[in-house]
């Protein structure tokens, strides 16, 4: 069974999964009722005729199956419809706000991964030492506190007390930092990225450290040392690669759920990303926006799962491509 | 007389545990000459593995090498800086492990893990390293070596993996091979093949070998000299011939008596092999006197208060038993 064949089959499965999700999503959102009726309810002077003509305008007068296939067909052409509240193409909004979210989420996770690798190696190679104990305690604390807690602490210290960093928004509305858009953007990213890194490092470190401790006890590590390979190579080359295998699933989920967890960060920092947009869309019952964003979140998760599966095969030769 | 290739003197390894200090190896001495095979025999837990790992300072974390010298080619390995020791590990002294299933890295191909070691020590280029690995795989009796290079450990049988473990140890032509129960994890027929291979390689390559085992049959077949260990200490060391014909230490004798013998006719309805009653002492707080006293058929009151010291009782034969010519230290 070749690798390409395997990827093709996983891809097919992922597409089937997405299709299933689209059906469920569509059914659920329809169960809420006609959005026009809900949105226009309790407004004075709204007659049955008005509701009907508006419904017709939004294409809500057909049968459920007709509407589903129209919606799906549009989705496949990346046409997500028009936001009811903002009156803009949902696709454009998802793109603009999505970039803002990725801008903090990806550096946050990558930074966390780097920190977790460093901390785990430091701790696991010195098992039972004070350093190990310190790393475990810190990671436990970080793991058990809610994510937004760090955000608030960071804002308190760096914005409120020290006044060094902005606590909300992605850009300054008036004077840009050093008159540079880039510098100003980076300046605003520091705290949200910091919160994400903090939070993600804790759990990743716990997982990676214990996996690494386990691997370092294996015979093949003693054998690598007995072969005269330098400690750095034994740990980074032989041990770490094996230790990462059980952590891959978690990493995949972290990337996959990055949009799903965005609302927390983006609420704390008033960040103009998909998380904040999602909350507004739900509060205001912006159907096309809710559906578009839910589909994007699902695509991310399914895509990350697919990548995780491929990463497993790439790293661990024992996995049979079945 | 030329100094031996390896001499271990007063080696002590201790595990610092929550309950106290476990004296896993407590004053072990032995030596190995160039080209010689020393068999180290002892039951499970007697400290064979820990003492071999200690030679290259590879004892696992809660363990600490507390005392002793390991003289190899004129230098004390226990006093060497880590960097210099790295040039001895795998190059001058190499190890073969007990369990071939766990001693190869599962995520690297055979070629890449062997190649890494060779290139590190010998600074060979890729092609030269591959040529050397192929010839070694051939030497250890692996068929179709070129295919094996690209395979991963899980694709090979246990016997094949152990052959690769042996090839890995031979990569840099070591002067000394440490083999810790290299056949225990294998099927009986494969065991015999691996032992034959080791005997053959030793002769062809002229390397010395420390063969650790709990199997008297294995050392009888392979070793020039034999050291018997019990509870972290050496009981007796002698040439293989002497040890089998004129053992002195009561533990050695008990071990030999518990072996089935081909020249003995087992008669009667149900004649069982003699066994050694009791269990070895705990090494957390070992008894003050002779470690074997509780199980020794010849024990005297003095044995419980006097620690026997290994003493040469005949040329090439040393014993630590106060009833058989050893000195002792009053505890
Ligand atoms: N992690 C540990 N903590 C405490 N004591 C240990 C630990 N590992 C080993 N020991 C002690 O070291 C002693 C020697 O162990 P070692 O593995 O060297 O025995 P061995 O002679 O190789 O036995 P086997 O034939 O089972 O391989 C054991 O009896 C045990 O008391
Ligand atoms: S010293 Fe005493 S107890 Fe120990 S082996 Fe000799 S006779 Fe037995
Ligand atoms: Mg052992």
């Amino acid at each position: 069974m070749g690798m390409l064949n395997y990827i093709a089959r996983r891809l097919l499965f992922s597409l089937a999964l997405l299709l299933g999700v689209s059906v469920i999503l569509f059914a659920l959102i329809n169960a809420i009722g006609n959005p026009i009726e809900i949105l226009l309810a309790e407004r004075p002077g709204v007659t049955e005729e008005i509701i009907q003509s508006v419904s017709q305008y939004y294409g809500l007068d057909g049968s459920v199956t007709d509407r589903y296939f129209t919606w799906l067909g549009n989705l496949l052409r990346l046409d997500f419809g028009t936001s009811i509240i903002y009156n803009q193409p949902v696709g454009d909004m998802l793109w603009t706000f999505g970039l803002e979210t990725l801008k903090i989420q990806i550096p946050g996770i990558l930074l966390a991964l780097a920190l977790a690798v460093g901390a785990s190696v430091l701790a696991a190679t010195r098992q039972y030492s004070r350093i190990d104990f310190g790393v475990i305690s810190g990671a436990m604390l970080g793991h058990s506190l809610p994510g937004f807690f760090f955000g608030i602490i960071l804002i308190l210290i760096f914005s409120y007390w020290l006044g060094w960093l902005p606590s909300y928004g992605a850009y300054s509305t008036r004077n840009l930092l050093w008159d540079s858009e880039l510098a100003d953007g980076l300046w605003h990213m520091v705290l949200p990225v910091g919160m994400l890194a903090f939070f993600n490092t804790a759990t990743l470190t716990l997982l990676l450290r214990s996996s690494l401790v386990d691997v370092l006890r294996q015979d093949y590590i003693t054998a690598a040392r007995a072969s005269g390979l330098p400690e750095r190579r034994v740990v980074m080359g032989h041990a770490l690669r094996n230790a990462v295998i059980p952590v891959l699933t978690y990493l995949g989920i972290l990337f996959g759920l990055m949009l799903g967890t965005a609302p927390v960060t983006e609420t704390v920092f008033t960040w103009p990303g998909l998380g904040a947009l999602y909350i507004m869309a739900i509060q205001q019952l912006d159907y096309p926006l809710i559906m578009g964003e839910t589909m994007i979140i699902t695509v991310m998760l399914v895509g990350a799962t697919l990548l995780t599966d491929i990463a497993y095969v790439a790293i661990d030769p024992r996995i049979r491509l079945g | 007389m030329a100094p031996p290739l390896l001499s271990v003197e007063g080696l002590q390894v201790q595990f610092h545990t929550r309950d106290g200090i476990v004296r896993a190896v407590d004053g072990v001495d032995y030596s190995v000459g160039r080209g010689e095979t020393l068999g180290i025999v002892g039951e499970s837990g007697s400290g064979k593995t820990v003492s071999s790992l200690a030679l290259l300072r590879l004892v696992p974390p809660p363990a600490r090498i507390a005392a002793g010298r390991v003289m190899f080619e004129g230098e004390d390995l226990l006093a060497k800086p880590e960097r210099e020791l790295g040039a001895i590990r795998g190059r001058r002294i190499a190890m073969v492990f007990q369990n071939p299933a766990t001693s190869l890295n599962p995520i690297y191909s055979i070629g890449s893990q062997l190649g890494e070691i060779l290139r590190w020590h010998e600074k060979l280029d890729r092609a030269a390293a591959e040529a050397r690995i192929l010839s070694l795989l051939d030497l250890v009796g692996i068929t179709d070596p070129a295919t094996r290079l690209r395979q991963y450990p899980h694709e090979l049988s246990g016997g094949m993996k152990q052959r690769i473990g042996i090839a890995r140890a031979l990569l840099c032509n070591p002067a000394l091979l440490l083999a810790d129960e290299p056949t225990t994890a294998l099927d009986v027929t494969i065991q015999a093949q691996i032992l034959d291979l080791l005997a053959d390689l030793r002769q062809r390559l002229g390397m010395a070998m420390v063969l650790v085992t709990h199997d008297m049959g294995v050392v009888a077949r392979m070793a020039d000299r034999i050291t018997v260990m019990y509870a972290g200490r050496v009981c007796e060391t002698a040439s293989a011939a002497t040890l089998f014909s004129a053992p002195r230490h009561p533990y050695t004798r008990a071990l030999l008596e518990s072996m089935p013998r081909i020249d003995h006719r087992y008669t009667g309805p149900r004649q069982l092999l003699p066994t050694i009653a009791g269990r070895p002492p705990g090494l957390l707080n070992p008894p003050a006197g002779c470690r074997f006293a509780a199980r020794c058929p010849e024990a005297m009151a003095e044995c419980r208060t006097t620690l026997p010291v290994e003493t040469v009782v005949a040329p090439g034969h040393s014993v630590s038993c106060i009833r058989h010519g050893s000195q002792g230290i009053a505890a």
Side-chain angles (χ1 to χ4, degrees), chain A residues 293-305:
Chain A
E293 187 156 350
T294 308
M295 277 321 285
I296 289 293
I297 291 174
T298 316
V299 167
M300 282 286 286
L301 190 56
V302 172
T305 312

Side-chain angles (χ1 to χ4, degrees), chain A residues 219-220 226-227 233 237-238 242, chain B residues 89-90 102 105 108 116 121 154:
Chain A
D219 282 350
Y220 57 80
S227 301
R233 271 216 216 180
H238 287 255
N242 275 284
Chain B
R89 291 176 182 152
T102 57
N105 194 329
Y108 291 117
E116 183 186 13
H121 283 305
H154 72 276

